Amino acid sequence: MPGVVSISAEIQAFLDHCRIEKGLSANTLDAYGADLARFAKGFPAGFPGPEEVAAYLASLSAHLKARSVARHLTALRTFAAFLLREGKLASDPTALLAPPRQWRNLPKFLSHNEIERLLAAPDPESPAGLRDRAMLELLYASGLRASELCDQIGRAS
């Protein structure tokens, strides 16, 4: 990357872009930040070529699950696209890389009886019980993740 002081500064600019312009979640930003920090340790001078990126991902495959390696590749691809738009890269070194093969797991779900018991658990006579029942109903009806609900509650406080 010509004219780049450090890859760390470019990563920070990329994460700022993702937070402000793309509106990515805090969890995604944390994951991208951790993945790119790990990448930067191996390549502090700048973004390497396709062969080095492929070798880096192969080294990750030795001790990470395929899903984690795929997330690293996504972070690298998004970062490379950002650097291309900013004029910091002449070509995308991640363009020809294939994601690792992943097994598809079916989601786990509760039975109808388990859902009924879960929704009946909070005490409807107490304010906390009413709140808990409302949160459970919201989670069940909307498909929100528990972390997304907690994030919204934290913002409202």
Side-chain angles (χ1 to χ4, degrees):
M1 290 186 301
V4 174
V5 175
S6 76
I7 194 169
S8 297
E10 295 301 331
I11 290 171
Q12 189 56 55
F14 166 70
L15 293 173
D16 290 342
H17 166 78
C18 288
R19 182 177 48 82
I20 296 166
E21 300 292 326
K22 296 177 91 176
L24 296 182
S25 73
N27 289 342
T28 301
L29 292 171
D30 289 345
Y32 278 11
D35 294 348
L36 293 174
R38 182 180 203 163
F39 179 73
K41 285 181 184 174
F43 305 100
F47 215 107
E51 297 81 19
E52 292 90 353
V53 175
Y56 171 75
L57 291 171
S59 73
L60 293 178
S61 296
H63 58 283
L64 293 179
K65 293 183 179 182
R67 187 177 309 270
S68 296
V69 177
R71 190 194 68 221
H72 273 76
L73 178 56
T74 299
L76 291 173
R77 281 188 172 150
T78 309
F79 182 45
F82 170 77
L83 293 174
L84 278 169
R85 279 192 309 278
E86 295 292 310
K88 307 282 172 104
L89 282 179
S91 64
D92 184 354
T94 66
L96 300 177
L97 297 175
R101 197 169 177 137
Q102 298 180 43
W103 292 99
R104 294 228 180 245
N105 294 332
L106 294 176
K108 293 179 175 64
F109 57 90
L110 299 175
S111 70
H112 183 71
N113 188 31
E114 290 171 321
I115 292 168
E116 291 294 326
R117 285 194 340 248
L118 181 65
L119 293 176
D123 177 15
E125 301 300 319
S126 73
L130 289 173
R131 179 207 58 210
D132 293 349
R133 170 74 188 237
M135 289 191 309
L136 289 170
E137 290 277 356
L138 177 63
L139 289 169
Y140 178 65
S142 67
L144 280 175
R145 294 181 181 111
S147 64
E148 293 169 329
L149 176 63
C150 290
D151 185 44
Q152 291 305 314
I153 291 170
R155 289 182 185 179
S157 298

